[in-house]
Amino acid sequence: ADWFYLTSWKQHDLLRLTKTEKEKRSWLIFCDELGNGSALVRELRQRYENVVSVFAGERLRRTDEYDYTINPQAKEEYDALLKELVVRDLNPSHVVHLWNLNPVESFEKVQESGLYSLIFLTQAIAEQSLKNGLQLVVVTDSVHEVTGSESLRPEQATILGACKVIPQEHTEITCRNVDVVSNEPGKLVEQLLHELTENSSDRVVAYRGRHRWVQTFEPLRVEKAQPRLKEGGVYLITGAFGLIGRVMAEHLARTFKAKLALLGRSGLPPQDNWLTELEQAGAEVLLLRADVANEEQLRAAIADTRERFGRIDGVIYGAAAGAYTDKEIR
């Protein structure tokens, strides 16, 4: 009952700052099509900061002394860009990704300019050994529900996973997410400039109107509810012969005397006596062989399950966890 938390937001108009020594900063800014990036570049250059701008284009091309275009879909161009900046002694200490502010297009186009470009960029940063102390700020548009009045852009939500994982895989990179509403007139560039030029400890921030909000997590007590699993229920388990799939199957057999459709790519259990143990615990078992990435095979497996048991009460998707060993789980 005490394990759960609910995402919440608190208004913090003042930045919580991290004390750092003042130093000359160098910026790499991936500029959007609406002009916000260009305005930031102008403001930073007026402050005598070193700024390199990058716009989406057909190919990697240097258009001015500190301005480039790049093909968002070409991983090798991110590598080439970072390599050239290293050669020119323009190593960035701060990277700002603004391509999520571009006008709404297809889902795939949003991924190309958002999630995929961020992954390619991070890989290039790692390959050029630019990670030490690097600040990466990813600006999104209306991804978080803060006030409840936003018109959300869920197609951008995929990038939030990358924002969370990048500093876990590359501990030398500090990654922050700043969410704005691009169609709000007025203070957007001023707010971004204020957020970017201070060393804030807040990792997920949203601007709504003239207010700044910080993501928090509040404890949520969940009282015991009626279990959704039921006695004699029919449950399809993918990745059923991996460690997690086996644990799930054994629990359903012992606790609910369930009817189990066990699906794996091999179609065979890991040891001969395992099926017998499930049946002795009270389960009925159907073995299925299918690759979950193959739609035709998966449809056939579901049809076989319904033909055998008449229905499906629940699915436990364990295919992604099927390769873990006991040692890795521990």
Side-chain angles (χ1 to χ4, degrees):
D2 297 322
W3 284 11
F4 298 92
Y5 290 80
L6 183 67
T7 303
S8 184
W9 295 86
K10 290 186 177 180
Q11 187 177 325
H12 284 281
D13 289 325
L14 295 176
L15 278 71
R16 293 191 292 234
L17 302 181
T18 302
K19 291 183 179 180
T20 57
E21 295 183 6
K22 290 290 185 180
E23 58 181 11
K24 188 73 172 178
R25 292 170 296 197
S26 55
W27 298 82
L28 176 61
I29 299 181
F30 288 77
C31 297
D32 62 300
E33 299 171 8
L34 300 179
N36 299 293
S38 298
L40 283 173
V41 170
R42 286 194 300 271
E43 289 289 339
L44 290 168
R45 286 175 177 169
Q46 287 175 7
R47 300 182 183 196
Y48 302 102
E49 302 270 8
N50 297 320
V51 185
V52 174
S53 71
V54 183
F55 289 83
E58 294 183 359
R59 60 182 177 85
L60 175 61
R61 187 166 68 92
R62 182 172 161 186
T63 59
D64 205 339
E65 186 175 5
Y66 300 108
D67 302 311
Y68 290 84
T69 63
I70 195 175
N71 182 347
Q73 303 175 49
K75 178 185 182 301
E76 65 277 5
E77 293 194 4
Y78 295 82
D79 298 331
L81 172 65
L82 268 295
K83 187 177 295 184
E84 180 168 334
L85 295 183
V86 169
V87 170
R88 296 183 62 194
D89 198 24
L90 296 172
N91 304 9
S93 61
H94 292 68
V95 179
V96 184
H97 188 282
L98 292 162
W99 282 356
N100 297 290
L101 300 185
N102 291 336
V104 178
E105 297 184 84
S106 68
F107 178 82
E108 189 59 34
K109 286 292 184 182
V110 172
Q111 304 316 302
E112 290 172 358
S113 61
L115 174 64
Y116 303 154
S117 71
L118 184 62
I119 292 174
F120 294 155
L121 172 61
T122 304
Q123 291 171 341
I125 289 170
E127 289 176 12
Q128 294 302 319
S129 300
L130 297 177
K131 298 185 295 183
N132 192 23
L134 187 139
Q135 303 280 328
L136 173 60
V137 178
V138 180
V139 182
T140 52
D141 180 7
S142 305
V143 172
H144 298 290
E145 186 175 21
V146 180
T147 65
S149 62
E150 302 95 336
S151 179
L152 298 178
R153 293 186 59 181
E155 68 276 4
Q156 289 190 16
T158 55
I159 206 168
L160 301 181
C163 292
K164 182 174 290 186
V165 171
I166 286 169
Q168 294 174 347
E169 295 190 351
H170 305 283
T171 55
E172 307 92 336
I173 297 177
T174 300
C175 187
R176 303 176 59 218
N177 172 221
V178 179
D179 193 49
V180 299
V181 178
S182 63
N183 61 4
E184 288 185 346
K187 291 192 172 183
L188 177 56
V189 172
E190 180 184 337
Q191 289 169 337
L192 285 175
L193 190 65
H194 182 54
E195 190 74 37
L196 297 172
T197 54
E198 299 289 349
N199 291 308
S200 173
S201 60
D202 299 320
R203 292 293 171 256
V204 182
V205 174
Y207 281 87
R208 296 295 184 266
R210 57 190 179 87
H211 294 296
R212 178 181 185 271
W213 299 77
V214 175
Q215 188 183 69
T216 63
F217 295 91
E218 302 294 338
L220 176 68
R221 184 169 179 81
V222 179
E223 300 300 337
K224 186 174 181 180
Q226 292 297 320
R228 295 191 177 189
L229 301 172
K230 58 186 180 182
E231 190 78 14
V234 179
Y235 299 101
L236 171 67
I237 303 177
T238 70
F241 308 133
L243 175 62
I244 292 177
R246 298 203 313 268
V247 169
M248 293 292 184
E250 290 163 7
H251 174 73
L252 289 169
R254 290 194 307 269
T255 309
F256 297 98
K257 314 302 181 189
K259 299 175 176 62
L260 301 175
L262 305 179
L263 186 149
R265 278 181 295 182
S266 66
L268 297 172
Q271 59 255 13
D272 294 339
N273 63 343
W274 187 60
L275 282 180
T276 303
E277 292 173 357
L278 291 178
E279 291 170 344
Q280 288 175 347
E284 291 184 48
V285 179
L286 171 65
L287 292 182
L288 298 168
R289 181 175 183 176
D291 182 345
V292 294
N294 186 308
E295 182 177 354
E296 184 178 351
Q297 292 181 16
L298 203 55
R299 285 184 180 276
I302 291 171
D304 289 345
T305 302
R306 287 181 171 144
E307 181 179 354
R308 169 73 178 272
F309 297 124
R311 67 184 192 277
I312 297 177
D313 296 313
V315 176
I316 297 174
Y317 190 89
Y324 287 120
T325 65
D326 295 278
K327 182 179 179 181
E328 289 170 325
I329 292 295
R330 287 196 298 268

